[in-house]
Amino acid sequence: MASVGTGTLADPQTTGITAAERKVIFASSLGTVFEWYDFYLYGSLATIIAAQFFSLKDPAGDFIYNESTRNIFALLAFAAGFIVRPFGAIIFGRIGDLVGRKNTFLVTILIMGLSTFVVGLLPNATSIGIAAPIILIALRLLQGLALGGEYGGAATYVAEHAPTGRRGLYTSWIQTTATLGLFLSLIVILGVRTIVGEDAFKEWGWRIPFLVSILLLGISVWIRLSLSESPAFKKMKEEGKGSKAPLTESFFHYPNNKYVLLALLGLVAGQGVVWYTGQFYALFFLQSILKVDGYTANLLIAWSLVLGTLFFVFFGWLSDKIGRKPVILAGCLIAALTYFPLFKLLAETANPALAHAIETVQVKVVADPAECGSLFNPVGTRKYTTACDKARDWLAKASVKYTTEAGPAGQPAKVVIAGKELAAADLEKAVGDPKDKITVGSQAITEAGYPKAGDASIVKLSSPIDIFNPQAGIVIGILFILVLYVTMVYGPIAAALVELFPTKIRYTSMSLPYHIGNGWFGGLLPATAFAMVAATGDIYYGLWYPIVVAAATAVIGFLFIPETKDRDIHTI
């Protein structure tokens, strides 16, 4: 028996859980919750951060970038944290396999926590100019690197303490942490906003959630310092079987490199897109496409997370009984088969007038094909110059379904809305009092049947507990199903990845496919999916991205991924 802090590890045949095992799970999960909290704060406050750090002025005192461009830069800085996660997996995975799990994820949480705290202290662009966004982006990169090393360390550490037959259950608690971290960040932001007021929050109150993270960091480090190294790693070191080159053995030695690739394509890519579709893209779909106000959309997602989070543990436990593959790959396949009807039902329930208009109102852009380029713009930095492209971009952002029809060469582009022709160049011209912000285009689509912003038929919550009306209840039910898919694919994934690889290269080998699948396939999903919507004029078209990836993962996984639930990870 190997001791862990206090108490001893349970015998695989016993029932229940020892105090030592509870401590391992709690310490690892709590630290990872705090890391995700730190990571998501930035995403939740992206527009405020854009105003604070990307509002650079020229010598004449005018803003260099308009509001839309500032928001794009802020979102790109957020995406940078996802992009560098695999590199963090390589760096810290190697360290974890060479020097140990415990010390490595102590380092990662310190980097993450201190980087977040410094964001709360960082002077804005008004104070220090171009240095503000440069330092901010550097801190985001540090956060992404740290997160790339944290997950693999926590999952490996817990799995190597877990008795055979319970690794799915034990590591499933780690799987709840991303959702809990997101939930915690939303609650803290909402609480601070309520206490200090919206104006003060935009001016200085936004710093408080970042500064509070130092307390969370202190608690997590204090708890983790009391832990000892994992028994599998200690056994490997005592027997002199450690790897001297974990990167080489993981990615250049067969069959380890084969399983790294299979883990990505046959498990994690699908898991990543299902995870981000069920939480982030669902939130984006509600706000940006269905025009649900931000307060209501966040509450609806929060309620679905409250209802669904414990299913991470359930599906982790179930994977101990029937296997990792059936649970994860069934989640991918079911999601792929049902996303279209679920998101269509979500639209019909949350904004019925919009859903009806999409089905009944015909809108087309008629233009010289030479004027109409591709609108696929996932990073949001392109500026459209032709009337055709500007019109289609405007319609996509207004959630209007449209088709593009070739017109005579040299003819000015026009938009036909329910039989009414408009010059494409006139869509954004103001009509009436400029204060009303009514344009030619918005007036035309409203007259054709598209709802105005704030339409009474759009789902709306007046308080966190205002969920007992049929419309809100159905929306939460749909979102809960999407979260349920997330829990199916994500609950058992840590155990499945840990069991695929030998102890000496486990941290390195499992971390890279996990963070490519989640950081790249998943993290870039919202921007890519909306770019697909904008490029086609179909609000559901972006769903093809997660559907194709999830379906491909299900096929590859069923054919090539071995079942691992009964492996003794202490002997490999």
Side-chain angles (χ1 to χ4, degrees):
M1 299 274 188
S3 63
V4 185
T6 59
T8 58
L9 292 176
D11 184 273
Q13 303 303 318
T14 63
T15 58
I17 182 172
T18 69
E21 291 168 343
R22 279 195 296 271
K23 184 176 180 180
V24 165
I25 295 170
F26 179 73
S28 301
S29 300
L30 184 63
T32 309
V33 167
F34 293 163
E35 291 236 22
W36 282 110
Y37 165 83
D38 292 348
F39 196 75
Y40 286 136
L41 278 182
Y42 185 98
S44 301
L45 299 174
T47 55
I48 292 175
I49 286 172
Q52 291 285 332
F53 294 100
F54 293 95
S55 298
L56 300 169
K57 295 183 179 180
D58 60 25
D62 297 321
F63 286 115
I64 297 174
Y65 306 115
N66 61 30
E67 182 179 354
S68 296
T69 304
R70 294 197 297 268
N71 288 340
I72 288 168
F73 282 147
L75 291 173
L76 287 176
F78 181 57
F82 287 98
I83 292 169
V84 300
R85 277 170 56 180
F87 301 102
I90 291 172
I91 294 168
F92 291 108
R94 178 179 182 275
I95 296 171
D97 283 328
L98 289 173
V99 304
R101 303 7 178 160
K102 172 192 168 182
N103 291 331
T104 303
F105 71 22
L106 271 173
V107 172
T108 60
I109 199 169
L110 280 168
I111 293 173
M112 173 67 83
L114 292 175
S115 298
T116 304
F117 180 69
V118 172
V119 171
L121 298 175
L122 184 62
N124 61 21
T126 303
S127 302
I128 60 174
I130 191 68
I134 291 173
I135 297 172
L136 178 70
I137 291 171
L139 293 170
R140 283 294 302 156
L141 294 175
L142 284 173
Q143 286 181 321
L145 289 171
L147 190 57
E150 166 66 19
Y151 175 83
T156 301
Y157 187 77
V158 171
E160 290 179 348
H161 278 91
T164 301
R166 293 193 215 155
R167 283 190 295 269
L169 174 62
Y170 282 29
T171 58
S172 65
W173 291 99
I174 296 290
Q175 306 311 99
T176 68
T177 59
T179 297
L180 292 174
L182 170 61
F183 188 74
L184 180 62
S185 70
L186 294 175
I187 293 299
V188 173
I189 290 169
L190 184 62
V192 174
R193 267 188 152 127
T194 302
I195 292 170
V196 306
E198 192 63 27
D199 291 339
F201 185 82
K202 290 180 179 178
E203 182 65 26
W204 57 267
W206 65 269
R207 296 181 181 273
I208 294 175
F210 288 93
L211 296 175
V212 165
S213 69
I214 199 70
L215 301 176
L216 307 180
L217 173 64
I219 294 170
S220 184
V221 170
W222 174 67
I223 293 174
R224 286 189 175 188
L225 282 171
S226 67
L227 300 176
S228 60
E229 188 52 82
S230 85
F233 185 84
K234 287 195 294 186
K235 180 175 182 289
M236 179 191 72
K237 282 294 188 182
E238 289 167 0
E239 295 174 354
K241 296 180 179 179
S243 172
K244 294 181 180 180
L247 293 179
T248 300
E249 291 194 40
S250 294
F251 309 129
F252 298 101
H253 286 185
Y254 186 86
N256 294 328
N257 53 4
K258 179 185 78 170
Y259 285 114
V260 169
L261 185 61
L262 285 177
L264 172 61
L265 301 179
L267 287 174
V268 190
Q271 172 261 301
V273 297
V274 171
W275 198 95
Y276 277 88
T277 301
Q279 295 185 152
F280 282 100
Y281 190 66
L283 178 60
F284 177 86
F285 190 81
L286 284 171
Q287 291 182 275
S288 297
I289 295 179
L290 300 185
K291 311 304 180 185
V292 177
D293 69 90
Y295 177 82
T296 296
N298 278 285
L299 282 177
L300 292 169
I301 292 291
W303 272 109
S304 70
L305 297 179
V306 169
L307 295 173
T309 294
L310 282 181
F311 282 91
F312 287 110
V313 180
F314 170 76
F315 286 114
W317 167 84
L318 184 63
S319 76
D320 285 331
K321 306 301 180 183
I322 67 173
R324 319 301 182 205
K325 281 179 60 174
V327 179
I328 297 171
L329 299 181
C332 288
L333 186 59
I334 295 170
L337 293 174
T338 59
Y339 272 158
F340 275 127
L342 282 173
F343 274 85
K344 186 175 181 181
L345 181 60
L346 183 61
E348 291 171 348
T349 307
N351 192 339
L354 175 65
H356 183 261
I358 286 171
E359 295 296 326
T360 58
V361 179
Q362 289 190 338
V363 179
K364 61 182 178 180
V365 178
V366 183
D368 180 352
E371 275 197 31
C372 301
S374 171
L375 296 189
F376 186 70
N377 183 26
V379 298
T381 56
R382 286 174 52 197
K383 291 185 178 180
Y384 303 112
T385 57
T386 67
C388 175
D389 288 349
K390 287 181 178 179
R392 292 186 298 152
D393 181 56
W394 186 89
L395 290 168
K397 289 176 179 175
S399 301
V400 175
K401 183 178 181 180
Y402 70 88
T403 58
T404 304
E405 182 178 300
Q411 176 180 293
K414 63 182 179 182
V415 180
V416 183
I417 301 174
K420 179 180 180 180
E421 292 189 2
L422 303 171
D426 292 341
L427 282 182
E428 297 185 68
K429 284 187 178 179
V431 176
D433 190 335
K435 293 180 181 179
D436 295 332
K437 297 182 179 180
I438 298 175
T439 64
V440 170
S442 61
Q443 184 179 63
I445 63 173
T446 300
E447 291 174 353
Y450 276 86
K452 296 179 181 178
D455 186 272
S457 68
I458 301 174
V459 65
K460 185 175 181 61
L461 301 182
S462 58
S463 72
I465 59 172
D466 182 25
I467 60 171
F468 299 102
N469 65 78
Q471 187 182 27
I474 294 172
V475 170
I476 292 172
I478 297 166
L479 295 174
F480 167 72
I481 293 172
L482 296 176
V483 171
L484 198 64
Y485 297 162
V486 174
T487 63
M488 286 184 72
V489 300
Y490 200 54
I493 197 71
L497 292 174
V498 166
E499 292 161 351
L500 272 176
F501 303 104
T503 303
K504 63 180 180 178
I505 57 169
R506 181 170 293 140
Y507 199 148
T508 303
S509 297
M510 72 162 287
S511 294
L512 184 64
Y514 174 83
H515 286 292
I516 291 177
N518 284 273
W520 293 0
F521 281 87
L524 301 179
L525 182 148
T528 303
F530 183 67
M532 294 169 67
V533 170
T536 60
D538 181 350
I539 68 168
Y540 305 112
Y541 193 79
L543 293 171
W544 278 113
Y545 174 65
I547 286 172
V548 170
V549 175
T553 294
V555 172
I556 294 170
F558 277 122
L559 292 176
F560 300 109
I561 293 290
E563 181 53 64
T564 59
K565 76 179 180 70
D566 295 321
R567 285 186 178 178
D568 182 357
I569 64 172
H570 297 270
T571 61
I572 60 173

